[in-house]
Amino acid sequence: MTLASARHILVDNEAQCLELKQRIASGEDFADIAKQYSSCPSGQDGGELGEFGPGMMVPEFDKVVFSAPINEVQGPVQTQFGYHLLEVTSRVE
């Protein structure tokens, strides 16, 4: 089974998600932004979600996590929880 590790930032709206993505692209630290802005409890850990397999997260999340390049911020990804920025930190088959 494929396993992935990822981190994310969860916010309420797409505009904020895009703004935070731009700040990260400009050199701000993903973990610092997650701690400051993410509404998910994982934000306090820099957005770290740990290791998980397919089907353990919502489908929209899985689709990105199991196909996106490693260490490249993806998003906004909309789920029923809000808007996410995702970064896959590892993936093993």
Side-chain angles (χ1 to χ4, degrees), residues 53-65:
M56 295 175 71
M57 300 289 181
V58 294
E60 301 91 341
F61 214 88
D62 267 11
K63 182 178 177 183
V64 174
V65 169

Side-chain angles (χ1 to χ4, degrees), residues 32-76:
D32 289 343
I33 298 253
K35 288 176 186 173
Q36 190 171 359
Y37 293 99
S38 185
S39 61
C40 180
S42 69
Q44 296 311 302
D45 296 322
E48 293 291 342
L49 295 170
E51 192 172 70
F52 52 92
M56 295 175 71
M57 300 289 181
V58 294
E60 301 91 341
F61 214 88
D62 267 11
K63 182 178 177 183
V64 174
V65 169
F66 293 100
S67 65
I70 306 294
N71 298 321
E72 197 174 285
V73 177
Q74 305 293 317

